[in-house]
Amino acid sequence: MGPLLIAACASLAAWLWLTFAQGMFWRTDVRLPPRTAPARWPSVAIIVPARDEAEVLPHSLPSLLAQDYPGAAEVVLVDDGSTDGTATLALRLAAEHPGLPLTVVSPGDPAPGWTGKLWALRHGIAHARTRRAAEPEYLLLTDADIAHAPDSLRELVAAATAARLDLVSQMARLRVVSGWERLVVPAFVYFFAQLYPFRRINRPDGRTTAAAGGCVLLRTEAAVRAGVPDSIRQAVIDDVSLARAVRASGGRIWLGLAERVESVRPYPGLGDLWRMVSRSAYAQLRHQPLLLAGTVAGLVLVYLVPPVALVAGLAGGRPAVAWAGGLAWLLMAGTYLPMLRHYRQPAALAPLLPFTALLYLLMTVDSAVRHYRGRGAAWKGRTYARPSDA
């Protein structure tokens, strides 16, 4: 048995396991759990960290101000050292789109050991908890590039109260317009779900834990119990760290795909998408060279070996190699189809997943190279050291 046949069979075995034993990660029907209106709608503070978001704010902030929520709610936008007039624009948008009350606060530069987003969240949460006689019962943590349907907050709160959840998070539908976005963005969500299967996350006794940072409804009591955001102040992958802290403190969490919560941030070119992934990919691997090597080897075996084995097997008259590679590629493409349908993309993109995986492999390696050159987890003018160096 030659090396290529061994690799092809190993890849096929991996895809059989992923398809049938990895929490049905490829299914896209994990949506908000059954919900009913509570007898009393709890108070909510919507916290929006924003750094140089003038480009996207006109498409997102009005959707928050227009929330049709029966209870008490307010929006707190935290201007995280913006230089593009984000704070002024936010106040102007609030005047043009009356709805929920808006407060803009500016905490200044992050203290040592804090990432900018978590520093902003800390001050936004503190402001919301201290400005009223009674602190808000829930916190909606949402990014400045996320637009919400008018009933988004109402549905999130109804789901959280009905199922007694401490954290409810939705993976926002990302923008898919340009050719590169079509090729890369659905795969981003597919890979995330493969790493963190939603069904496993949503089990009360589940060990897999994650959240989607663009849309997180968090019970204030659970945040206090978990000590967040202070307990995760150095985290670059803040959403996963937040979910872990809440679950570790005894909280119940839930994560699924959103239908009417959308990202409005454009990534028109490959360079834009590359920077989006590479800025935090090595942090996801905890800055460990062995994890990086294992990830690269795994991506090669799982995603690149199947097409190579199929082509080489057909060209070299080796039917066993071709069959193993072809079946693995078929499983890969088949499990990708539901995500493409979720993003309303053509099925013809499914066989191109090995090429997309190669791009992600290169982005991950580039992320590690940037880290060791001192340009690691960088975002809008800030570069963060790994926690042990902070």
Side-chain angles (χ1 to χ4, degrees), residues 257-309:
L257 293 173
E259 294 179 334
R260 303 176 68 196
V261 177
E262 301 183 352
S263 172
V264 296
R265 188 181 303 282
Y267 293 98
L270 179 59
D272 305 295
L273 290 160
W274 193 289
R275 285 186 291 273
M276 184 267 289
V277 175
S278 66
R279 71 183 177 90
S280 59
Y282 197 41
Q284 182 72 55
L285 299 176
R286 303 196 291 276
H287 304 102
Q288 296 294 324
L290 287 178
L291 285 178
L292 174 65
T295 298
V296 169
L299 286 171
V300 170
L301 176 67
V302 174
Y303 288 99
L304 303 187
V305 165
V308 170

